[in-house]
Amino acid sequence: MIFGFFLCLDAFLYVFTLLPLRVLLALLHLLTLPCCSLGGSRLLQPAQVCDILKGLIMVLCYSMMHYVDYSMMYHLIRGQSVIKLYIIYNMLEVADRLFSSFGQDILDALYWTATEPKERKRDSIGVIPHFIMAVFYVFLHAILIMVQASTLNVAFNSHNKSLLTIMMSNNFVEIKGSVFKKFEKNNLFQMSNSDIKERFTSYVLLLIVCLRNMEQFSWSPDHLWVLLPDVIMVIASEIAVDVIKHAFITKFNEITADVYSEYRASLAFDLISCRQKNACTDYSDSVARRMGFIPLPLAVLLIRVVMSSVNVQGALSCSCVFLFYMGMVTLKVLNSIVLLGKSCVYVKRANMEDKLFEKPPTAAPGKTPSRTSKTSRCTAPSGDLSGDPWSERSPSTPSCTSIPPSVTTQPTPTVIPTPQAETMAPPATSPTRPSTSPEPDPDPLTPSPPATPERDGTEGTELKHRTPKNDLLDVDRFTICGNRID
């Protein structure tokens, strides 16, 4: 849970710190094109196109949020009865999950449509309809989160705290709905990711509530001590509910606690895969796909609340804002470095290191081959966005973030579906093996043996890719600032 929380924090800080800098660099590159020679066919690299699209979505949604009155929404919600607010809050939680699931598909479709090769441009729908859909999605999702924050603010400011108590007891309803159901390891992994996302979102909502209340009391420190017990009570109830829920689920389904180490290794594997030079997706998009956490709507709402709560006037205030921004950049870079180092440790501990460097085999003759036309974009060092929705990636890209359907089969070297069957087959029956050596390939999940004479043979090009020299030090450290742009 802690590791996943810092993953969400890293993706969230990226929107405030490095994304504006990357948008400025992309716009500067676009403005200086007349002074440069156009050697390639693209004006901008795919990663730069996605950065500009994210920046435009943020600016447009922030402008549209100015027409939404937070104070009027707060008083409108406060006039409702307690039971009605309880029902509204439950409906908002369900709607937030649905929005997160559907919204990432909208953003994926926008990024792919804007960066697909020219020969694959579709005539039926273009970038503009996808962009309009993405803007409206982020705007509606931000309003939904604003209503959640307003409801939580009403619960904090109620006199008898009855609404806050009812909303906290709603967390214990999850135990009733989850404990007595049968869970497989994959389902438990999905539920764990959802719990991480909900916990991080609730922390941001509590921050918004504290900002609004502190503004109403002229930033008095005494009022902060009044809010602090309720904030601690909400956080403690969520942690207690998650501990009890996961403890009984693992007990009733006879799942060992070691499975959470496998889940953590899977998240670390996603992180390292997105940090390689030929990564197909940005890291924030990988977190959104894995956990259902989309930072754009939450960032738009937080910027709207901060800009309306804090008045920046004078040179001293601007200097404080600049220092705060530099502090966030430092925190983001430090958090990324620590996460990358910890992820390397977790991947090595789970014996998943070779999966980052192995060359996936081609499909069997009876199966439908994957679309190899997309692999040319995944090998670009600019961090292209390839594939239809990223849940289905081309198997010829070694650093895409997709993992096998069962996350628990990653750390265990005993379950190998297709590659083992192909490697144990004679070389005469494999159309993709140009080698004449009868020796089978090494197991992709086990460390490669020491150097042998066969390594100098005809299949040296493939075995070089799996030599022990390939370690996690080959991860591109420049991708801490996002997809690499050459």
Side-chain angles (χ1 to χ4, degrees), residues 319-337:
S319 302
C320 292
V321 170
F322 178 74
L323 291 177
F324 181 74
Y325 173 76
M326 295 303 297
M328 284 201 307
V329 172
T330 306
L331 177 61
K332 199 276 176 193
V333 174
L334 178 63
N335 187 33
S336 300
I337 294 174

Side-chain angles (χ1 to χ4, degrees), residues 19-32:
L19 181 61
L21 298 179
R22 292 172 62 91
V23 172
L24 290 178
L25 290 177
L27 293 177
L28 183 63
H29 176 74
L30 190 62
L31 293 176
T32 56

Side-chain angles (χ1 to χ4, degrees), residues 109-370:
L110 171 65
Y111 300 151
W112 165 245
T113 307
T115 58
E116 62 181 344
K118 292 182 178 181
E119 62 270 10
R120 292 182 54 85
K121 290 290 184 181
R122 284 165 281 190
D123 299 330
S124 57
I125 189 169
V127 179
I128 296 180
H130 282 292
F131 181 76
I132 295 175
M133 291 173 59
V135 170
F136 274 99
Y137 154 71
V138 174
F139 176 67
L140 293 177
H141 199 176
I143 291 180
L144 178 68
I145 301 175
M146 177 182 284
V147 176
Q148 279 185 296
S150 301
T151 308
L152 191 61
N153 199 1
V154 170
F156 269 73
N157 294 330
S158 60
H159 297 288
N160 53 3
K161 305 294 182 181
S162 59
L163 179 59
L164 184 61
T165 305
I166 293 176
M167 291 170 62
M168 290 174 54
S169 65
N170 186 36
N171 294 329
F172 291 89
V173 179
E174 296 181 8
I175 300 179
K176 177 183 177 183
S178 303
V179 165
F180 301 104
K181 292 182 181 179
K182 182 174 178 58
F183 275 86
E184 299 293 339
K185 291 185 178 181
N186 294 336
N187 305 121
L188 184 60
F189 182 48
Q190 296 174 0
M191 190 182 71
S192 302
N193 292 331
S194 178
D195 291 339
I196 294 171
K197 178 253 181 184
E198 289 180 1
R199 184 178 298 186
F200 184 83
T201 305
S202 64
Y203 291 165
V204 178
L205 291 179
L206 290 175
L207 176 61
I208 292 174
V209 170
C210 292
L211 288 175
R212 296 296 300 177
N213 280 276
M214 292 295 292
E215 181 204 1
Q216 297 299 323
F217 287 88
S218 302
W219 300 96
S220 175
D222 296 333
H223 187 67
L224 180 62
W225 295 106
V226 176
L227 293 174
L228 197 59
D230 294 334
V231 172
I232 294 176
M233 187 168 53
V234 171
I235 294 175
S237 66
E238 290 186 357
I239 295 176
V241 166
D242 288 340
V243 170
I244 295 173
K245 180 174 64 175
H246 284 270
F248 280 99
I249 286 176
T250 53
K251 171 181 170 57
F252 292 153
N253 294 276
E254 298 180 353
I255 301 176
T256 60
D258 297 334
V259 73
Y260 291 99
S261 299
E262 301 176 9
Y263 298 160
R264 183 179 59 186
S266 299
L267 295 177
F269 185 85
D270 289 343
L271 172 61
I272 297 177
S273 299
C274 294
R275 297 305 190 193
Q276 290 182 331
K277 294 182 180 180
N278 53 349
C280 299
T281 176
D282 187 67
Y283 169 62
S284 59
D285 301 315
S286 173
V287 174
R289 173 60 64 188
R290 175 66 68 185
M291 297 185 181
F293 173 69
I294 305 177
L296 292 182
L298 205 58
V300 169
L301 177 61
L302 187 59
I303 293 174
R304 169 71 173 84
V305 172
V306 171
M307 294 299 292
S308 62
S309 302
V310 180
N311 294 325
V312 180
Q313 295 178 354
L316 182 61
S317 299
C318 295
S319 302
C320 292
V321 170
F322 178 74
L323 291 177
F324 181 74
Y325 173 76
M326 295 303 297
M328 284 201 307
V329 172
T330 306
L331 177 61
K332 199 276 176 193
V333 174
L334 178 63
N335 187 33
S336 300
I337 294 174
V338 174
L339 283 177
L340 189 59
K342 288 292 185 180
S343 299
C344 294
V345 174
Y346 298 148
V347 169
K348 285 183 179 179
R349 190 180 300 171
N351 297 326
M352 298 167 60
E353 183 178 1
D354 292 338
K355 293 176 68 64
L356 293 168
F357 308 107
E358 69 177 0
K359 185 176 181 181
T362 56
K367 297 181 180 180
T368 304
S370 60

Side-chain angles (χ1 to χ4, degrees), residues 22 25-26 45 47-48 51 381-383 482-486:
R22 292 172 62 91
L25 290 177
Q45 297 182 15
Q48 294 176 322
D51 293 335
S382 58
N483 285 347
R484 182 163 184 165
I485 301 175
D486 293 342

